[in-house]
Every structure is written in C-alpha cells, then in structure tokens.
Amino acid sequence: MQFGFVKTATATPQIRVADCDYNCGQIAAAVRQADAQGVELLVLPELCITGYTCGDLFYQQPLLQGAKDALQTLLRQTADTKTVFVVGLPLQHDGGLYNCAAVIQGGRVLGVVPKTHLPNYSEFYEQRHFSPAAAGLSEITLGEEAVPFGTTLLFQSEEQPDFCFAVEICEDLWVPAPPSVRHAQAGALLIANLSASNETIGKPQYRRELVTGQSARLLCGYLYADAGDGESTTDMVFSGHSLIAENGRLLAQTVPFENALCVTEIDVQMLARERMRLNTYTAGGCSEYKTVLFSSPAVSELVLTRPISAYPFVPADDRLRQQRCDMILTMQAAGLRKRLAHTRCRQAVLGVSGGLDSSLALIVCVKAMDQLGRDRKDILAVTMPCFGTTSRTKDNARQLCEALGVSFRQVDITASVKQHFADIGQDPQQLDVTYENAQARERTQVLMDLANQTGGMVIGTGDLSELALGWATYNGDHMSMYGVNTSVPKTLVRYLVKFYADSSSDAHLRQTLLDILDTPVSPELLPANGQEITQKTEDLVGPYKLHDFFLYYVLRFGFSPEKIYVLAKQAFLGSFDDETILKWLGVFFKRFFAQQFKRSCMPDGPKIGSVCLSPRSDFRMPSDASVALWLKELDTLLDKA
C-alpha cells in the first residue's frame, strides 16, 4: 500500500460443479495472476471450491472432505504468494454445516467467516443444507492448525493499519441490517463479499446500486465477487458480475458473462479521513471483534489502474454533466431568488466584462428573475471599460445583455481612475498593483452606488477558484451583496456557460456565449496591445485546470502535497510535465494560505458542491496560519525531481 491505495481485485474462476480438485487449480491460477499484478486483497465467489449449485451433494461426505482437501492443496499452491485472498467453501463445525469464507495468505488460513443470513425463498434453499452463523467466536481446525471461526473478525495489516477488512457473504448484504454495518463500525475500511448471485432481468443495475449504496453508507471500499461460468444452469444462470466500489462510487466492474479478473485501487487513507470528518459516523463499541494481523509488503512504486480525472469537478459522462449543469444553475438561481425576494430589491446590479464569470452570473440573474415572474429589465448589467478593455470583450458584454433582454449601461471609468491617481499621487505610467486595483475598486464603487440609486443589490461574479487563489482585489471585485458563483470552480464555469449556450434557441445569444468561451481569461487591468488581450490570468497564477485539481484534493480530502502530486502526474500525463505540476502546486499552497483574509469576510453565496470556502459553513482557517509544513514537503519533492 502506498499513499493509502490498496490494490484490490475480484476474480471469477471457471469451475466444475463438485470437482474440488479442478476448482482448486483454477482458483490457484487466479491467485497467482493477481499476485503477479501486485494485488494485495483478492476476493473470490461464494462456495467456489465446490460450486454454489451442488444442491443435496452438500450432504455427501466425499464432497465435504474433497473441499477440505482442496483447501490444503490451495494453501500449498499459493504458499509463495503475498496476496491476501478470500475463498468460499462449505465447512463442518460443531455439528453444523456452514457456508464459509476462508481468508488466506502465504499458505496459511488467517480466519474463517461463516454466512449469517441464509436465503430460503424463490430459487434459493440454503437453509436446507447450511446452518446460520452463531454469535461469538470459536476455533476450527484445518489441517493441523486451529484458526479463528466467526463473523466478528477483522483482518488488518501490521504495517498499514488502515488496510483493514472484514467479510460478509452474498445474502448478508441484501438484508435490512447487513453484518457489514457492524464490521465497519468495528473499524473495517474494506468489505469483502463472496457471492453467488444468479442473473435475472434488471438485476445487474440493482446489484450495482446495492453495492455502491452500501459503500457510501459505510464509508468503505466494497468488493463483490460473483459466481459465473461452471455453475449449474439447471434452474439458474450465473454471470460473474463482480463490482468494486468506494464510498458510493463504482470503481470497476466486470462485464456479465465474461469471467475476468477485476482490478483497481481503493484509497483507504481517504476513507479513514472521511470517517474522521463526518462526526455522525458511529464507530467503536464492538469489543467482541477479534483482529487478525497479516503482513502487507511495501510497494516500491505506485501504479494506479483506477481512473484519475483531470477535471474532478466536472462529470466525464455527457448526460450526467448536462444534468449536473442544469441542477447547478437551478440551485444558483434559487439562492438568488430567495435573496431578492427577502430584501425586496427592485434591481439586481452586476458588472459584466464579456468574460466567463460575469456571463454566468448574468445567466443566473436571468433565471432568478424568470422564476420570480419579474421583468428581466429589473437586472441592471453594467460594463465599465478602462485602460485594458478590448472591443471584443466590451462588444460581447453589450451583445449578451441585448440577447438576454436585460437593462444595460456603460460607464467608462477611465477619467475617474485618472482623477484618483492624481488624488493619491500615483504615476499613471507605473503599472503596479495600485494601477490595477484602483480600477477594480472603482468598478465596485460604481456598482454599489448604482445599487443605492436603483434600490438594488450588487451580485458578485467571482468564482471558487479565484477565492482559493485570492485572485480578487480586496474590497474590489472581492465584495458584493450576494455572490452567486462563490462555490463554482473555474473549470466548471466554462461547462455551465457552454450548457446554457447549447440549450438556447437564440442563435445570436449562442454565438455570443461561444465567443466569450473562446476569449482568454483576463482581468483586463493592464493596457491592451491594440485589441489583443495582453494580461492573461493563467500566465500569472497558473492553469486553472491544475489549480482546480489541487483545490479539490486539498479541500475535499485533505491530501498531502506529495499525494496530490502523484495523482496529478497521472491525471495530466501528456499535458503537463512533472516540473510544471510542482511549480504550480507550490504557487497554489502559497497563495491559498496567504489569501485566507479575503475569504474570512467573503459575501454570502449558495453552496452547490462538496467543496466550499465559506467561513460560515465549510472552511474555517486562521488568516495568519503558516504554510511551512506544506512547503517543506514540496521542497522534498523538488529535490527528488
């Protein structure tokens, strides 16, 4: 395990019903295949040493003895492997026959877990053959070794305590109170489920929802290994539909009827932090559990097979992304609608620059007014050209307002800013921070005063990414009376504007928005080179796609700089080299810590996702906190690079 990632797998070997020797060979081959790929935990199907569909053959002593003999053979055949694996077989114990899962590593059985809930309805008749697990722990002798037997077993790595798993079997998951609930409360971050779930129409989707839902409810990784080829088709068909989920997210699954090794990594470090963060997660109070330790060898190099998206705020699936965009716009508009109704404002006043953020804010204002049944003319959109404004952005601002049917006003602030320079003794040829921020503050003053004139309120346009980096002028564009974009990162802003453009039947509106999308992100505070934008934000603070990636993993999961760097290298492979990622990661942490004072007094705004910087709800940080620990780790990475 490295950086909290445990390489896990499920396998569905092709078996023969009641042919334990053959099945043992197939299982051993699957274990060796997984071990060769560095899998640390492998889960195999229910009763796969014998086959689930043996029926009354489970009463036959040759089958039961054959299963025990095959288990000993399997131990010998896998003695030189490091993978911990869980395999299903029937075992006699204390006068009963149990449907069991044996946990094995390096030729040793670490423990045996019997099935608790035995289905006895429709096509299932397990109570005919098996006894349900009894309360408490005992020991069972396998070969010459006595091993723990019971449902209250945790299996934990000696070297990596977060690598801790427990076992339940098939129907155990489908009941109202699955054993995995107690397992998770006892400390298991991974749940292994050995299953023989036959296939029926509609069941794959139900199975996916069940597994992903349980992983979300328990804040765990869930490995579900399903029986497949080789099981009897007398009355049922088995597809080998195996799934691996992590906290509500399906990481990997097999294609039904294609027996395959399903491999991915589960981030147990992240799961442990989530349980710590969510103080309603009930843990502990499970003193009856016994912890069985195993050795987890160090991984020399982390190679991830799970997908790492370069855009964690943006769904990759087109349909889901469109649904998400529609929902976000609705949420933003609902927040603004409530604020407008509560304050009885006669107008919503906002600055429009011809850029992405102000375009999104204007769209939200339009939706809010439409929902209130009010005239769009109650929106006053103001463009305020100055030294760096180009005709492209100015024209786009005007055309957008015309297409949306809002009130539009142009206030040229050039003379006002020059007068201000004269008042404070600022050399207008000195293009410093005063030169830039004076323009931003003048624009905010204009908007605030227009709001006073019209009985309105100023709508903020700044986004989540700018708040994280402090890329806003304090008491300039940093300030408003309600910030509708406050929880929307820059990478998502682009998709929201594109979604609105694609949804519009107005060709002129659509074309204007598409040109805005194509315009470089810029505050336009420095003089333009003719009509060419010379001040490009991403040249100064770095690519927003990188910063949003950093922001997501810092705020959502609290990952270390090194772990974020490792994930970024995979997510942006071919787009950014290692040095570039490290450079901007350093910039992110420096700016994030240094600019907290701006976030400590940020205006109200609606939360729309799991990452939010509001000091009143989601994120509280001292404005004078030190970044030394984070930079120290980054310096170590730079030395290695």
Side-chain angles (χ1 to χ4, degrees):
M1 186 174 87
Q2 195 173 23
F3 298 108
F5 289 103
V6 175
K7 187 174 284 292
T8 64
T10 62
T12 302
Q14 186 170 19
I15 66 163
R16 295 174 184 168
V17 176
D19 191 342
C20 297
D21 291 339
Y22 175 83
N23 298 343
C24 172
Q26 296 294 100
I27 293 166
V31 173
R32 289 191 171 281
Q33 182 185 1
D35 191 64
Q37 295 185 31
V39 170
E40 297 166 271
L41 175 60
L42 170 68
V43 184
L44 295 126
E46 181 179 12
L47 295 170
C48 61
I49 285 181
T50 58
Y52 176 78
T53 50
C54 288
D56 284 355
L57 293 179
F58 284 122
Y59 292 137
Q60 299 292 316
Q61 192 58 36
L63 180 67
L64 300 181
Q65 186 60 46
K68 292 179 69 174
D69 293 344
L71 177 63
Q72 294 303 313
T73 302
L74 184 60
L75 295 180
R76 292 191 295 272
Q77 291 179 346
T78 61
D80 60 342
T81 62
K82 298 176 182 178
T83 300
V84 179
F85 65 97
V86 192
V87 65
L89 76 163
L91 286 172
Q92 292 171 286
H93 181 62
D94 285 346
L97 180 63
Y98 294 90
N99 179 343
C100 296
V103 179
I104 299 169
Q105 186 192 39
R108 291 184 58 244
V109 178
L110 303 178
V112 174
V113 179
K115 188 173 183 176
T116 299
H117 300 281
L118 304 177
N120 223 58
Y121 54 83
S122 300
E123 63 266 45
F124 302 107
Y125 46 91
E126 286 188 39
Q127 291 180 25
R128 179 181 176 90
H129 308 113
F130 298 109
S131 299
L137 283 170
S138 59
E139 287 189 337
I140 185 171
T141 300
L142 298 172
E144 298 180 355
E145 190 171 3
V147 299
F149 181 95
T151 58
T152 52
L153 290 175
L154 294 178
F155 301 89
Q156 185 175 45
S157 165
E158 292 183 86
E159 297 82 7
Q160 305 288 346
D162 285 342
F163 182 5
C164 180
F165 71 92
V167 179
E168 63 183 6
I169 302 174
C170 200
E171 186 75 9
D172 287 346
L173 171 63
W174 302 67
V175 300
S180 52
V181 174
R182 291 283 288 167
H183 296 340
Q185 289 175 324
L189 285 160
L190 300 171
I191 302 295
N193 186 313
L194 297 76
S195 178
S197 174
N198 65 307
E199 209 56 80
T200 56
I201 294 299
K203 201 170 183 180
Q205 179 62 29
Y206 188 85
R207 194 183 290 120
R208 275 191 294 270
E209 292 174 355
L210 196 63
V211 169
T212 54
Q214 189 71 348
S215 75
R217 187 176 301 107
L218 302 183
L219 291 175
C220 73
Y222 202 101
L223 291 87
Y224 184 94
D226 193 18
D229 284 353
E231 291 288 355
S232 171
T233 59
T234 300
D235 292 303
M236 294 179 283
V237 173
F238 296 84
S239 72
H241 182 210
S242 298
L243 309 103
I244 303 178
E246 175 192 271
N247 192 17
R249 177 188 176 196
L250 183 63
L251 295 181
Q253 65 178 323
T254 56
V255 177
F257 300 103
E258 293 183 14
N259 287 16
L261 185 70
C262 183
V263 181
T264 191
E265 298 78 28
I266 296 177
D267 190 348
V268 293
Q269 184 183 80
M270 177 273 291
L271 293 170
R273 181 190 177 278
E274 282 293 275
R275 289 186 181 183
M276 176 186 70
R277 183 179 69 89
L278 299 176
N279 60 11
T280 53
Y281 185 88
T282 307
C286 303
S287 58
E288 72 273 22
Y289 273 77
K290 175 183 177 63
T291 300
V292 180
L293 299 177
F294 61 89
S295 180
S296 176
V299 177
S300 56
E301 182 181 0
L302 177 66
V303 179
L304 293 175
T305 59
R306 63 184 276 165
I308 305 296
S309 172
Y311 298 92
F313 290 106
V314 183
D317 179 76
D318 287 344
R319 181 169 168 271
L320 178 58
R321 186 170 60 247
Q322 290 176 9
Q323 291 175 346
R324 186 76 56 83
C325 287
D326 185 52
M327 183 63 175
I328 291 170
L329 288 172
T330 300
M331 291 171 68
Q332 289 177 280
L336 179 58
R337 181 185 70 220
K338 166 67 176 178
R339 185 56 57 95
L340 290 171
H342 175 74
T343 57
R344 295 185 174 86
C345 284
R346 293 198 295 273
Q347 282 203 309
V349 180
L350 76 161
V352 288
S353 64
L356 279 172
D357 289 345
S358 63
S359 296
L360 176 59
L362 181 57
I363 289 167
V364 172
C365 289
V366 166
K367 287 181 69 70
M369 287 298 182
D370 289 350
Q371 290 173 9
L372 287 167
R374 291 176 56 175
D375 192 333
R376 291 185 180 184
K377 292 296 183 182
D378 288 345
I379 302 168
L380 175 58
V382 187
T383 187
M384 293 163 280
C386 198
F387 308 128
T389 306
T390 61
S391 59
R392 178 182 186 180
T393 55
K394 186 167 64 173
D395 290 346
N396 277 339
R398 176 181 54 78
Q399 291 173 22
L400 179 62
C401 293
E402 290 175 354
L404 290 172
V406 304
S407 300
F408 176 74
R409 185 166 176 178
Q410 178 172 308
V411 178
D412 193 315
I413 64 169
T414 306
S416 299
V417 174
K418 286 181 176 179
Q419 180 59 53
H420 182 58
F421 286 167
D423 292 341
I424 66 172
Q426 169 74 13
D427 181 358
Q429 301 305 313
Q430 187 173 339
L431 308 182
D432 57 7
V433 66
T434 305
Y435 179 92
E436 295 187 41
N437 285 352
Q439 298 172 67
R441 292 196 178 98
E442 178 61 24
R443 287 184 171 120
T444 299
Q445 175 175 271
V446 169
L447 294 174
M448 292 288 182
D449 291 343
L450 284 174
N452 290 158
Q453 276 188 343
T454 61
M457 63 184 296
V458 176
I459 309 304
T461 63
D463 62 49
L464 179 66
S465 307
E466 293 176 343
L467 285 168
L469 295 169
W471 192 250
T473 299
Y474 192 84
N475 205 34
D477 52 314
H478 156 260
M479 192 48 59
S480 67
M481 296 167 184
Y482 195 74
V484 294
N485 295 338
T486 189
S487 290
V488 185
K490 186 75 77 176
T491 48
L492 185 54
V493 170
R494 180 171 295 277
Y495 283 94
L496 289 167
V497 173
K498 179 68 162 55
F499 168 77
Y500 192 81
D502 292 342
S503 304
S504 175
S505 59
D506 185 331
H508 179 58
L509 173 60
R510 187 165 58 250
Q511 186 57 46
T512 301
L513 288 173
L514 292 177
D515 193 62
I516 289 171
L517 283 162
D518 197 42
T519 303
V521 178
S522 171
E524 291 193 316
L525 296 173
L526 295 178
N529 181 15
Q531 290 306 315
E532 182 182 345
I533 296 173
T534 56
Q535 187 183 24
K536 298 179 181 177
T537 299
E538 292 183 292
D539 292 344
L540 301 170
V541 296
Y544 274 116
K545 62 175 68 174
L546 280 178
H547 285 309
D548 282 359
F549 186 90
F550 303 153
L551 174 64
Y552 179 80
Y553 286 105
V554 168
L555 265 292
R556 182 66 182 84
F557 299 118
F559 285 173
S560 68
E562 185 176 10
K563 186 168 183 176
I564 295 171
Y565 170 59
V566 168
L567 295 178
K569 286 201 299 181
Q570 173 157 328
F572 295 101
L573 186 65
S575 299
F576 297 104
D577 58 34
D578 296 355
E579 291 75 15
T580 301
I581 294 172
L582 277 175
K583 171 189 173 182
W584 295 119
L585 185 55
V587 168
F588 175 86
F589 278 110
K590 289 174 185 175
R591 292 194 66 96
F592 185 79
F593 274 77
Q595 301 295 310
Q596 172 62 22
F597 73 98
K598 295 179 182 176
R599 299 188 291 268
S600 294
C601 59
M602 59 184 275
D604 294 353
K607 176 179 178 177
I608 58 97
S610 59
V611 176
C612 178
L613 286 168
S614 169
R616 293 167 296 277
S617 58
D618 280 69
F619 191 74
R620 295 164 181 82
M621 170 179 162
S623 296
D624 48 9
S626 172
V627 71
L629 285 173
W630 288 261
L631 295 185
K632 181 180 179 181
E633 187 170 320
L634 278 171
D635 287 341
T636 303
L637 294 176
L638 286 166
D639 291 340
K640 293 177 182 178

